[in-house]
Amino acid sequence: MAGSPRRTAGRRLQLPLLCLLLQGATAILFAVFVRYNHETDAALWHWHNHSNADNEFYFRYPSFQDVHTMIFVGFGFLMVFLQRYGFSSVGFTFLSAAFALQWSTLVQGFFHSFHHGHIYVGVERAALASSPLSPSPSQPPSMINADFCAGAVLISFGAILGKTGPAQLLLMALLEVVLFGLNEFVLLSLLRVKDAGGSMTIHAFGAYFGLVLSRVLYRPQLEKSKHRQGSVYHSDLFAMIGTIFLWIFWPSFNSAPTALGDGQHRSALNTYYSLTASTLSTFALSALVGRDGRLDMVHIQNAALAGGVVVGTSAEMMLTPFGALVAGFLAGTVSTLGYKFFTPTLESKLKVQDTCGVHNLHGMPGVLGALLGVLVAGLATHEAYGDGLESVFPLLAKGQRSATSQAMHQLFGLFVTLIFASVGGSLGGLLLRLPFLDSPPDSQCYEDQVYWEVPGEHEDLAQGPLRAEELETRA
Amino acid sequence: MAGSPRRTAGRRLQLPLLCLLLQGATAILFAVFVRYNHETDAALWHWHNHSNADNEFYFRYPSFQDVHTMIFVGFGFLMVFLQRYGFSSVGFTFLSAAFALQWSTLVQGFFHSFHHGHIYVGVERAALASSPLSPSPSQPPSMINADFCAGAVLISFGAILGKTGPAQLLLMALLEVVLFGLNEFVLLSLLRVKDAGGSMTIHAFGAYFGLVLSRVLYRPQLEKSKHRQGSVYHSDLFAMIGTIFLWIFWPSFNSAPTALGDGQHRSALNTYYSLTASTLSTFALSALVGRDGRLDMVHIQNAALAGGVVVGTSAEMMLTPFGALVAGFLAGTVSTLGYKFFTPTLESKLKVQDTCGVHNLHGMPGVLGALLGVLVAGLATHEAYGDGLESVFPLLAKGQRSATSQAMHQLFGLFVTLIFASVGGSLGGLLLRLPFLDSPPDSQCYEDQVYWEVPGEHEDLAQGPLRAEELETRA
Amino acid sequence: MAGSPRRTAGRRLQLPLLCLLLQGATAILFAVFVRYNHETDAALWHWHNHSNADNEFYFRYPSFQDVHTMIFVGFGFLMVFLQRYGFSSVGFTFLSAAFALQWSTLVQGFFHSFHHGHIYVGVERAALASSPLSPSPSQPPSMINADFCAGAVLISFGAILGKTGPAQLLLMALLEVVLFGLNEFVLLSLLRVKDAGGSMTIHAFGAYFGLVLSRVLYRPQLEKSKHRQGSVYHSDLFAMIGTIFLWIFWPSFNSAPTALGDGQHRSALNTYYSLTASTLSTFALSALVGRDGRLDMVHIQNAALAGGVVVGTSAEMMLTPFGALVAGFLAGTVSTLGYKFFTPTLESKLKVQDTCGVHNLHGMPGVLGALLGVLVAGLATHEAYGDGLESVFPLLAKGQRSATSQAMHQLFGLFVTLIFASVGGSLGGLLLRLPFLDSPPDSQCYEDQVYWEVPGEHEDLAQGPLRAEELETRA
């Protein structure tokens, strides 16, 4: 059933060996480098004689769990919309994100908190938001940030969904996590850019990394799998599980790593309003451009979320509720129009096959969000922030930077991100084109049966998904 | 495929224009009126020199996120049970709730906290529960209360599900949010009624508003769509996602806006036990009245939740765990029997077509919950509440009201709610009967294809959902 | 349609009467015994003049809600994988867990906090983890622990899924909750064993109780229902909802009842890393042993979770992040191999029909987790824990036990658990074999239609699930 014997034997061992190799390597690195931080270590915590109620856990863990839900439930089910790729969508999300959590703990640890030869871990590197001036050794890598990095990997996955095997995805994660950590280090620690919800570091980075990678993996014969590229009724409902969980918890995503107190509260509030506006504009635009005024599930599932992406940089700032509405409205509009008009062009003209439309949900709204951050940072004043300026823009509070200078640094951060994403995506594409990897043939894209035991075809699907003539064409 | 050209053109523009108009109007009102409150504003928060750990965010946000999940995941998927209306159920829930969040921020702001020309927003209007005597300007409208109001809109939606278009739903929300705010203002600020979990303000109000509205929209020819009114196997499983998320998070719903400390803790505990009892009684009654003793998914999906509705008023009070069990048991019983015996009568005798049976889940249990609140308030003593009386019944603690007087006010609050709901539902019905709106024809009710691009009919559904003869009958 | 009239009449009344009887009994016992504790009672809380921010609610409720989600969404949907048993899987989970919450409140109250004739309830018995030396009367039974007990009941349910009726399940819960409480009392209060996440008390106990019970209920003719024992495409996607929610919230499960502060933080962190490792090893092993290197959904849905089970005892201890990775890796490996090689043997040789493979997910990883707890407890030193030793191992801190002695007590705790589970499962099996109960005939196992009104067979399923010849064979 599965092509030539050589290929079968190769596939049989490729994924297991890669999983075991990567797990073995991270385990050894954990043994050597990773330690509990002062909030998770029994001796250190009690030595400081803290009140247990002050443990960072109580201020961050609920937000962390919302983020965790978004990564695994949200992204996982959002990609289940494909009619024959549900197992792979949710399964490979699960696999690659699980690996990314381990690997990014190490990478971010080396960049942000390699101290006396050790990496210290906890739910959040508490000091980050409040004193980014000195990337002090007390900033441990965190569960929240590991999940953020996994989010970027999954965004890239969205661009190549259905056209890559699990071993390819693990290799992509291996590379992308390193570049994510490097880009984040440059932006947050060197340029002192603000980007709590990651419009730049997560969304724009993940999207353009994936799009460039998809360009390198361009398949001129992809129409051979076109009949599997759409959704069916129930797969669209499964995808809405992903959409809704992403939508409701996005306020937690943007607020999870900010300064405690008003910063976290304001970030959640701004994101909440921005998302309501992107939802309204998405419905409006979808009906406007739809055939006979009908709504399109692809728009609702994706563009309605653009309001979360677009305030990723600025939600922490004094954006105002009105600003949040306007930003969300624009993001939903741009994203919906992107699905309708830009995605086809992207494939026909630029040879970028973007399965999930990540350019519309993460790419353009991410760039827009970075520019909004430039604007709002440039407008920051001592009057507007009062003593809270120290938490949001510490360099401004200390007089080491003007608002305009901060805005220019923000803009430069976007530029750096796009460079890292493009170069990284190119490298990733070359890596994933290695001929012995588990890439599916052109006629078997978007098809679970290449990688999974698929049950009960004859029972709930009138037409068998893998017809005889297709099987013969498999390499 | 979509009827006469005039109708198509009308539909094409109706929803987009309405969305854009409403979004434009709320954006302008936000610009003029809405400001960060003292917990979300950088300058105000730091000016008060608070400890960040004291920010209301840490006491309310986890509960808010549970409520948010209930509104969008819970209500959204609960209504997916219809075989051909899943896109509309979850999609229109999404649209109308997103609009309601914006609009109710404004309406509740005008009623509760219009102060120096501004509305101040945060996660919760902290002072509400602890000092309802003076509706002081420090009570900002809140994310939690905006979600509560969206809940009432979605309850009303349940009564007319499948028989109204998205533009109609937005207009309903436009009207209902105003009346919700007005009713809530009368009850909480003028009558000083207690109703933390909204047995009256949310459930009874939303249900009777929707039922009266459904009466006005009565369709004598609805049997033309009867074949689409039931569920299929997988749509019932999707609906159980909604049920279970509503069930598990209902303790957070009833406790989200109460006084901090024991009040929030007790509300959650009472709701938790009440729901276990309504689940047991629902299974008992469903099997008892079922054909051959079989259970009915409609009962399990809905009546098992009645335990959350029935303690909406009294969960905050000293109901006792035993009282919670009894209340939940009665609510599950009444609700299940309502589905079996009352819903058919409601349609045949009173001409109220109640798609989701909101009368059984929200109407009767809401009224029962209000009456339970009358009883428990009337039994309040200084012995039972100690110094906690100040938080739950401040007027009793101050000697400005007797327990009996509080009980009478509670009862009058129910009466006021039913009046507002009935008048509002009548007005809403007249509004939604405007002939140019996007109401589906009698033969096209409960059908996604009227409003959505629906994929893959031929692939996973043996029978096409929209047959030729039906298409010809479309207006 | 449903067999002989006698049977129908019996079934019609059996479930309703049992539900009403059990609900009536627990309600009476609640009236007599159950009271608010000092954190949920208005008078008691305010009498102590606490700050509201100190209420246990704020430290435990977010974790409780994650656990609650795992029990009802996680376990409920995990078992929906069967093609024709989705209503029963999620519905009977709902029913039996709801009953278990009430009943275990009483049972655990009698064992742990029966004081002056009353049982005091709240979200968590706060004192448990920090001072297990004296099982003081201030340890109330808790919502978290009631949910834990429901978890054990659902694990046992997994072993007999599809082969038992709802009345049988309620009787099983009635017995199992008592034995769970007794076993937990012996371990935590008498042996002073540590087992925060319940590797022993929840997972091993629930699994072996269910497996022994399944042995007693052995059906030699079960192959008559074999065609319904597998999944279909969409039922596997529903099951992944369960898997992913269990996976993301397991860190909250293992940390919910630990000591506050570093203990809760560390437990969550260890579990988080352990789960990533069991996910990688599960994918590796599944592909390695799969036909043509294909992945098997059964493995991914279940074995990937073994990393949460295996650190249930030791997550609270100074396991180290590296230790968590190794533990998770081993658990995923053992669990996947168990599904492939051990489950078939279990049925053919030992006559244990384990529907969900609970031996692989909860049995072996639970025992492994207990042994890991023995090891990590035996390695405990004052250096490693500092002043935190008091929270994790109070008897060691007080010099009343050596680390080796604690390890031996842990090992003996596992032994006691296996005895209680085996004896209890045997008793349970004898109870459930009572001939008048609602057990399905051999040809009607794994079939919703025995207990539920099932809609729309003809519409989305090509082949009717209940064929005429099958109906004739029903007893």
Side-chain angles (χ1 to χ4, degrees), chain B residues 218-237:
Chain B
Y218 179 65
R219 289 171 182 258
Q221 304 284 311
L222 191 58
E223 78 275 11
K224 285 185 186 174
S225 293
K226 199 152 199 76
H227 57 290
R228 263 184 252 101
Q229 215 173 339
S231 60
V232 291
Y233 195 69
H234 281 139
S235 71
D236 266 327
L237 286 176

Side-chain angles (χ1 to χ4, degrees), chain A residues 83 233 248 252 260-262 264-266 270 272-273 276-277 280 283 290-291 294-295 318 320 322 385 388, chain B residues 12 23 27 36 40-42 45-46 55 58 61 65 84 86 91 102 105 123 147 448-449 451-453 459:
Chain A
Q83 59 186 277
Y233 194 70
I248 56 175
S252 306
L260 295 180
D262 64 297
Q264 213 169 348
H265 200 158
R266 185 170 57 249
N270 286 332
Y272 172 83
Y273 284 122
T276 60
L280 277 160
F283 273 85
R291 189 167 59 90
R294 284 201 179 82
L295 296 159
M318 291 291 285
T320 78
F322 166 69
Y385 290 81
Chain B
R12 184 174 206 109
Q23 179 59 82
Y36 295 126
T40 44
D41 186 280
W45 176 254
H46 288 273
N55 197 290
Y58 301 105
Y61 190 71
Q65 275 296 8
R84 292 292 306 164
Q102 292 182 17
T105 297
V123 72
D147 270 67
D448 273 338
Q449 217 162 23
Y451 305 104
W452 299 84
E453 289 292 335
E459 276 172 296

